[in-house]
Amino acid sequence: MQRAGYGRGKTPRRPGPKKASNIDKDPVGVYCRIRPLGGEDEECCVEMISSSTIQLHAPDGLKANRNGEYKETQYSFKKVFGINTTQMELFEDIAKPLVEDLIHCKNGLLFTYGVTGSGKTFTMTGSPGEGGLLPRSLDMLFNSIGPFQAKRFVFKPDDKNGLEIQSQVDALLERQKRDSQQSVPKTPSSRQKADPEFADMISSEEACKSDSVDEDCCYSVFVSYIEIYNNYIYDLLEDAPFDPIRPKPPQSKILREDQNHNMYVAGCTEVEVKSTEEAFEVFWKGQKKRRIANTQLNRESSRSHSVFTVKLAQAPLDADGDHILQDKNQVNVSQLCLVDLAGSERTSRTRAEGSRLREAGNINQSLMTLRTCIEVLRENQMCGTNKMVPYRDSKVTHLFKNYFDGEGKVRMIVCVNPNAGDYEETMLVMRFAEMTQEVEVARPVDRPICGLAAGRRYRNQAFKDELSRRLEERGGPSNADDPALVNHLIESLPALPGCELVDPADDQTLPRLIEVLERRHRVRQMMSEQFNKTANSLKSMLQQFDSQLSAKDTFLHEQQNKLSEKDKLILNQRSEIERLEKKSKTLEYKIDILQKTTGMYEQDKRSLQQELETREQRLQRELSERRRMEQRMQGMVTDTRLKWEKECERRVNAKQLEMQNKLWVKDEKLKQLKAIVTETSSTSSGGGGGGPSERPEKPERPARERDRNMAQKRSASPSPHPDFSQTPSRQNRASVRAVQDPLPTSTPSSSSSSSSSAYPSVASCISEWEHRFPVDSSSQTRHPGTPQYRSRTPAPYYGASSVGRRRGQRWAAGTEAPAATLVYGLDLEAGTRTAPPVRPTHRRSQSAGGEKWVDHKPASNLDLDTVMQPIIPNAIKVSTPSEKALSKCHKYVLRHQELASDGEIETKLIKGNVFKTRGGGQAVQFTDIETLRQECPTAPRMK
């Protein structure tokens, strides 16, 4: 927070008190307490070896190293308390010295640490019949200072972490105001009237007190109770007015620093208590407001860190020993903080959700900050560094900053649950405790001795008792202010003479009365002189005794200082010896661990070398086997290629021979047909007496070499073998149907004369066959892809005057005529019936953009922000395939996404062709798969 000043600069921080560099320091005292197991069937993982050492065993389900052996670790503490330790034994060793220091104006911090459900709250609070550290500390404090407590409201908090002294009148007014308002609960008169939650917590035989209380001081106890929940500080003793209509949540408090650089909670309620029962009631009032919840691991799990602070104020009496010295600088304030930290927990085990999950996260974060602060403190002290300790990262560490940076005693109780389920969390707690023991805190110094003489309260009381005794010896009452004592003194004076005055001028009675009064006056003067003389002598004797006592006290104090210095020296040497012994044991233990680790590493190295050699040998064998396999496969490929080349050559030769045979058969048929035609024409011309026209010469048949060359030019695809089982007449009919032979035409006169002849001409025969079996014009179209027209035979004649006739069509000379036709499904060459041809639809060239795609992209696919995207132009995009979309396209592609082994999404494009089925539908035949995959170059490769 900045103040608005000149130049808007920050307010300079007030320098703290300079501490001497040679301040004695003590390590943090870390103790361990083991709670009993919850059930007999639970597995135990903690073993107590000695009074200062425990050993952790890994549970059966957890293997600590790669060899499968259980790893056992040992941890040392200042003292270890087993499962049979009572609350009284724990208090005697840990909390009782802190209460002694509190009475001697020294600060102390005691906190419990551990996993949830390990017994921290029970150790700190306890239960009826088994009071914990907190109630026992309060009981010891009030048993020690009970007779020397100041009246209520003599000490008053100044709201700045300090206390001031009020006068007797102001304190009396405050008490009267308290009695009228009844805002503060009165002290119970007996233990039976206390809260039943704390009834019989501490038995009378277990009560203890301190014997070194300064009787020349007056004491007063103030308590406060806060909790740190979700890194916010709440006052558990604050009496906020409750509004039933609009209840307000509790307001959080802030931390501030006082003039002595100590952290405190601003605005925190501090209640003055005068007895153990009253302190119990105040504590239970705040305990009922503390946040607890039921989790999977603990039925009443603390969800916040609680801090119960006991502040003790003491001030010396004046020189007379009657009243408190009215000097604020003489007031000494010491405090003892009793902290119950919330347990660390794993949400995987507690199954926390919602607010429980947020609470667990804040608890673990604050405990992690505490560990970090301890690590930095340890590093600064051991290595001489000056790193900044992150106290401000958490309210817990910020509140206790002055304990670690200042002076005082710090004690930590590590609570351990030996259940095997808490093994991993217990390991972390043990490591933190082992590290905390190496942090040192400045030892608290003794408070300055007041300049007044010691024993003032006792001497004042002794003087009063002696005065009362002497008065009693004289026969008078012990109280000098008693009216009977005054009457006794009056009676001891000379008696007045009986006289009666009747005249003011009486010369006999008045002189006698004057004489008696003068004698009584002299006696009174003598008594007063004797009393003053006795008082002076007694005062001088008391002063002499005071001087002698002060001299003896000074001498005794000097001797005590010398003795304490010797004790400090002995303790320092002893602690140094213990530290060196502990360090040597730690180093020996680390050496053993390193030797074991080195042996394990060497054994692993040898095993890995053997494994590497074995793998290299196996790799060499696999490589040689692969080379042999490649050579064998090359030989097999060569043999297979040669075999198939020979087979192909054999098949080609067989097919050529077959085609030559077919050509020879057709030539024979053609010769027979020519003979029939020639015989018919000659017969008709001879019967008509000869015509003026002459027959053209018979064209010569091409040579056999030419036929062989023409056979080589034909297609090598196989053709159906001729059926030689048919009769010659059928073969002749088939030849007549199939052959479209160009013949030399005659003149019109000869044709007309021949048509009138009894023997019909070739044209009339063909016309007759065509009228009998009409030929479909569409069947004349050649389809090279159909099986019926895979073999074509050229015309055997190439004469210039050759004219072919088919249904009135003329074929030019030298053109190729079809060797066979289909008439109503008849193969004229083979003489068999075939199915009607399937005419595929016309297909445009791919370069012309005739293909259309069906882009099938399911709705579950994700859009990836990659550069390469499967973009298909001229496509119909669908989420589900439909018959309408398939009927319009030729290609089909499906986008399929799946998760690869490295966690990236892999996209596959499955492509196929669309075919029309005979039933009128569409079918898809998949032909190709493309894979689009995204990889991270920095990600580790999977083996």
Side-chain angles (χ1 to χ4, degrees):
M1 181 177 175
Q2 296 183 1
R3 296 181 181 178
Y6 179 74
R8 295 188 178 271
K10 290 185 178 181
T11 304
R13 178 171 176 165
R14 181 172 57 253
K18 293 185 178 180
K19 300 175 183 178
S21 60
N22 56 355
I23 292 179
D24 296 331
K25 292 187 177 182
D26 293 325
V28 176
V30 182
Y31 301 85
C32 179
R33 186 180 190 183
I34 305 174
R35 63 161 288 178
L37 283 173
E40 296 180 356
D41 55 344
E42 292 184 358
E43 182 183 358
C44 181
C45 66
V46 178
E47 180 183 358
M48 181 177 173
I49 298 179
S50 65
S51 62
S52 62
T53 307
I54 66 172
Q55 186 171 355
L56 263 66
H57 305 275
D60 294 338
L62 181 64
K63 300 297 181 182
N65 51 23
R66 59 184 294 179
N67 293 332
E69 300 176 358
Y70 292 113
K71 185 178 180 182
E72 299 177 352
T73 54
Q74 294 183 0
Y75 298 94
S76 299
F77 298 90
K78 193 170 184 179
K79 191 172 183 180
V80 177
F81 300 93
I83 59 176
N84 297 322
T85 303
T86 62
Q87 299 278 58
M88 186 64 190
E89 295 175 356
L90 195 71
F91 172 75
E92 288 284 343
D93 290 336
I94 300 177
K96 187 175 181 180
L98 295 179
V99 179
E100 293 275 359
D101 290 344
L102 178 67
I103 296 174
H104 292 89
C105 303
K106 298 176 182 178
N107 297 331
L109 171 64
L110 173 62
F111 62 95
T112 56
Y113 183 84
V115 186
T116 181
S118 58
K120 300 183 297 300
T121 304
F122 175 77
T123 300
M124 184 61 68
T125 306
S127 61
E130 296 181 356
L133 300 181
L134 188 146
R136 291 180 187 275
S137 300
L138 291 173
D139 189 64
M140 176 182 174
L141 178 62
F142 284 106
N143 290 339
S144 303
I145 66 170
F148 313 114
Q149 291 191 72
K151 293 183 178 181
R152 200 182 295 271
F153 300 114
V154 173
F155 292 94
K156 182 180 180 182
D158 59 355
D159 296 333
K160 295 181 181 178
N161 203 30
L163 294 172
E164 58 186 11
I165 302 175
Q166 292 192 123
S167 63
Q168 295 292 334
V169 178
D170 295 336
L172 179 61
L173 292 175
E174 289 282 349
R175 287 194 295 272
Q176 292 176 355
K177 183 179 179 181
R178 190 278 312 260
D179 294 337
S180 62
Q181 294 179 355
Q182 291 292 330
S183 60
V184 179
K186 293 184 178 180
T187 303
S189 59
S190 62
R191 288 182 182 270
Q192 284 74 18
K193 295 182 181 179
D195 196 298
E197 293 288 342
F198 289 97
D200 299 331
M201 264 201 168
I202 304 171
S203 59
S204 58
E205 57 270 10
E206 291 182 352
C208 59
K209 62 180 293 186
S210 176
D211 298 329
S212 59
V213 180
D214 189 359
E215 298 179 354
D216 293 329
C217 293
C218 282
Y219 300 88
S220 186
V221 179
F222 294 85
V223 295
S224 61
Y225 198 16
I226 65 170
E227 73 168 351
I228 301 175
Y229 176 72
N230 287 340
N231 209 24
Y232 289 99
I233 300 177
Y234 298 99
D235 186 5
L236 297 177
L237 303 180
E238 185 177 11
D239 291 329
F242 178 72
D243 188 0
I245 300 176
R246 298 182 63 184
K248 296 181 180 179
Q251 297 296 322
S252 61
K253 306 295 182 181
I254 61 174
L255 290 176
R256 287 184 179 175
E257 191 175 16
D258 61 3
Q259 60 181 0
N260 297 323
H261 300 283
N262 294 327
M263 304 305 300
Y264 71 98
V265 180
C268 180
T269 304
E270 293 182 349
V271 181
E272 185 178 7
V273 290
K274 294 299 180 182
S275 65
T276 308
E277 292 79 11
E278 186 178 353
F280 279 165
E281 288 189 4
V282 174
F283 171 75
W284 187 239
K285 174 186 175 183
Q287 186 72 8
K288 290 180 179 178
K289 295 183 180 180
R290 191 181 175 193
R291 291 172 173 86
I292 60 174
N294 183 11
T295 63
Q296 293 287 335
L297 302 181
N298 193 357
R299 187 171 59 88
E300 293 183 358
S301 175
S302 300
R303 313 309 295 170
S304 62
H305 310 295
S306 66
V307 182
F308 187 81
T309 305
V310 180
K311 187 177 293 185
L312 179 63
Q314 49 184 313
L317 296 174
D318 56 7
D320 295 334
D322 291 333
H323 305 289
I324 298 177
L325 193 64
Q326 297 290 327
D327 186 4
K328 186 177 180 180
N329 296 326
Q330 295 294 332
V331 178
N332 291 312
V333 180
S334 57
Q335 63 181 11
L336 173 62
C337 288
L338 302 174
V339 185
D340 181 15
L341 294 176
S344 60
E345 59 186 29
R346 290 191 176 182
T347 55
S348 60
R349 297 184 62 217
T350 58
R351 299 174 185 174
E353 296 179 355
S355 60
R356 297 287 89 80
L357 181 62
R358 185 164 59 92
E359 292 167 359
N362 288 311
I363 291 170
N364 295 336
Q365 181 65 33
S366 61
L367 296 179
M368 184 61 68
T369 305
L370 178 61
R371 295 178 189 174
T372 305
C373 294
I374 295 295
E375 288 179 359
V376 177
L377 276 174
R378 171 176 169 270
E379 184 179 355
N380 289 343
Q381 292 177 3
M382 297 185 67
C383 303
T385 58
N386 193 18
K387 292 185 179 180
M388 185 186 70
V389 184
Y391 290 118
R392 294 178 177 269
D393 291 352
S394 173
K395 291 293 193 301
V396 177
T397 55
H398 197 192
L399 180 60
F400 302 131
K401 169 181 175 294
N402 51 288
Y403 285 97
F404 292 101
D405 284 350
E407 60 184 26
K409 284 188 178 179
V410 180
R411 300 285 176 89
M412 180 175 74
I413 303 176
V414 177
C415 298
V416 178
N417 186 359
N419 187 8
D422 293 340
Y423 172 75
E424 296 183 356
E425 289 90 340
T426 305
M427 284 281 292
L428 299 177
V429 171
M430 293 295 106
R431 292 173 186 170
F432 172 67
E434 191 176 35
M435 177 183 59
T436 306
Q437 294 181 96
E438 300 179 0
V439 176
E440 294 181 346
V441 180
R443 183 182 302 170
V445 296
D446 296 329
R447 63 183 178 87
I449 300 176
C450 181
L452 300 176
R456 298 182 299 281
R457 184 193 295 269
Y458 176 75
R459 286 198 299 271
N460 188 19
Q461 187 66 32
F463 173 73
K464 291 180 180 180
D465 294 342
E466 182 67 19
L467 181 60
S468 300
R469 186 181 63 82
R470 289 190 179 186
L471 289 174
E472 287 178 359
E473 287 178 355
R474 292 180 181 181
S478 59
N479 192 359
D481 297 333
D482 196 353
L485 179 60
V486 178
N487 295 331
H488 180 73
L489 290 176
I490 293 174
E491 290 176 358
S492 63
L493 296 174
L496 294 174
C499 60
E500 183 178 358
L501 291 176
V502 294
D503 188 9
D506 192 354
D507 294 336
Q508 295 179 358
T509 306
L510 288 177
R512 281 200 309 271
L513 183 59
I514 292 172
E515 183 181 359
V516 172
L517 291 176
E518 288 178 352
R519 191 164 59 242
R520 292 184 68 168
H521 181 64
R522 286 194 298 268
V523 172
R524 188 172 181 179
Q525 286 182 349
M526 289 175 61
M527 290 178 65
S528 64
E529 289 176 0
Q530 185 179 1
F531 178 77
N532 291 331
K533 185 177 181 181
T534 305
N536 291 331
S537 62
L538 182 61
K539 189 174 182 180
S540 62
M541 289 175 62
L542 289 176
Q543 290 178 356
Q544 184 180 0
F545 288 155
D546 287 340
S547 62
Q548 291 178 1
L549 185 61
S550 61
K552 289 182 179 180
D553 289 341
T554 304
F555 177 74
L556 182 62
H557 184 66
E558 291 177 356
Q559 296 299 323
Q560 287 179 352
N561 288 337
K562 291 181 181 179
L563 184 60
S564 62
E565 290 178 358
K566 297 294 184 183
D567 292 339
K568 288 180 181 179
L569 182 60
I570 293 173
L571 289 175
N572 289 335
Q573 292 178 355
R574 188 177 299 170
S575 62
E576 184 67 20
I577 291 172
E578 291 178 356
R579 190 181 66 81
L580 292 176
E581 289 178 353
K582 183 179 178 181
K583 189 174 182 180
S584 64
K585 290 181 181 179
T586 306
L587 292 176
E588 290 176 358
Y589 177 67
K590 289 183 178 179
I591 289 172
D592 294 339
I593 292 177
L594 290 175
Q595 288 178 353
K596 292 180 182 178
T597 307
T598 305
M600 290 170 56
Y601 285 162
E602 290 178 353
Q603 185 177 359
D604 293 343
K605 181 181 178 181
R606 289 194 295 269
S607 62
L608 289 174
Q609 286 180 350
Q610 293 177 0
E611 185 178 357
L612 184 60
E613 293 175 357
T614 305
R615 290 190 177 183
E616 288 180 352
Q617 294 176 1
R618 189 184 305 168
L619 182 61
Q620 293 296 333
R621 288 198 301 269
E622 290 180 356
L623 289 176
S624 60
E625 185 69 25
R626 183 176 296 176
R627 284 195 292 270
R628 288 197 299 270
M629 183 65 69
E630 288 179 355
Q631 293 175 1
R632 190 183 307 165
M633 293 301 294
Q634 288 179 359
M636 291 177 64
V637 168
T638 304
D639 295 341
T640 306
R641 184 170 63 250
L642 293 175
K643 184 175 74 174
W644 278 106
E645 286 179 355
K646 292 180 181 179
E647 180 68 19
C648 291
E649 185 177 359
R650 185 186 64 78
R651 289 186 181 183
V652 169
N653 294 333
K655 185 61 65 177
Q656 288 180 355
L657 181 61
E658 180 185 352
M659 296 302 294
Q660 290 176 2
N661 291 335
K662 289 177 87 174
L663 185 62
W664 181 78
V665 170
K666 288 184 179 182
D667 289 342
E668 291 297 328
K669 291 179 181 180
L670 189 61
K671 286 180 181 179
Q672 294 176 6
L673 184 60
K674 286 181 178 180
I676 295 171
V677 172
T678 305
E679 182 180 359
T680 304
S681 60
S682 61
T683 306
S684 60
S685 60
S693 61
E694 296 181 358
R695 289 183 56 84
E697 295 182 0
K698 182 180 179 179
E700 295 183 359
R701 189 178 183 276
R704 189 60 67 179
E705 290 80 9
R706 185 175 181 181
D707 295 340
R708 190 177 295 111
N709 293 335
M710 292 302 296
Q712 292 178 0
K713 292 180 182 179
R714 297 188 186 97
S715 173
S717 59
S719 61
H721 297 281
D723 190 3
F724 294 98
S725 62
Q726 294 178 348
T727 58
S729 61
R730 292 182 180 177
Q731 292 180 4
N732 294 336
R733 293 195 196 101
S735 300
V736 171
R737 293 176 195 162
V739 176
Q740 296 291 331
D741 188 15
L743 295 176
T745 56
S746 59
T747 58
S749 59
S750 63
S751 63
S752 61
S753 61
S754 61
S755 63
S756 62
S757 171
Y759 298 96
S761 64
V762 177
S764 62
C765 292
I766 293 175
S767 300
E768 184 180 355
W769 276 98
E770 286 179 353
H771 285 292
R772 188 178 300 175
F773 302 103
V775 181
D776 192 359
S777 62
S778 62
S779 64
Q780 297 178 4
T781 308
R782 277 189 253 180
H783 301 281
T786 57
Q788 291 84 348
Y789 296 93
R790 282 184 292 181
S791 177
R792 292 178 297 182
T793 306
Y797 296 102
Y798 297 91
S801 61
S802 300
V803 179
R805 295 177 177 268
R806 178 177 291 182
R807 299 186 65 182
Q809 294 183 3
R810 295 179 60 88
W811 295 85
T815 58
E816 190 174 340
T821 59
L822 283 178
V823 181
Y824 277 85
L826 294 176
D827 190 351
L828 300 182
E829 180 179 345
T832 59
R833 184 178 297 273
T834 59
V838 179
R839 302 179 183 85
T841 58
H842 179 66
R843 185 169 180 179
R844 296 179 61 190
S845 174
Q846 295 185 4
S847 61
E851 293 184 350
K852 293 190 66 175
W853 290 78
V854 176
D855 189 1
H856 179 194
K857 182 178 180 182
S860 60
N861 281 15
L862 301 176
D863 292 333
L864 304 179
D865 298 329
T866 56
V867 177
M868 304 297 294
Q869 295 287 340
I871 301 174
I872 303 176
N874 196 17
I876 300 176
K877 296 184 179 180
V878 295
S879 58
T880 55
S882 61
E883 185 177 357
K884 181 178 180 181
L886 290 174
S887 62
K888 296 180 180 180
C889 300
H890 310 87
K891 295 286 185 176
Y892 172 86
V893 60
L894 169 64
R895 305 191 186 195
H896 173 66
Q897 288 185 350
E898 61 184 6
L899 198 64
S901 60
D902 56 351
E904 297 291 338
I905 295 179
E906 187 179 77
T907 304
K908 289 186 177 181
L909 303 180
I910 305 174
K911 300 186 293 184
N913 297 327
V914 180
F915 292 97
K916 292 185 178 180
T917 60
R918 292 188 179 274
Q922 285 80 24
V924 179
Q925 180 182 4
F926 294 103
T927 58
D928 190 11
I929 296 178
E930 290 185 6
T931 302
L932 303 178
R933 183 175 177 182
Q934 183 179 2
E935 295 182 356
C936 181
T938 60
R941 296 285 184 178
M942 298 294 291
K943 292 186 179 179

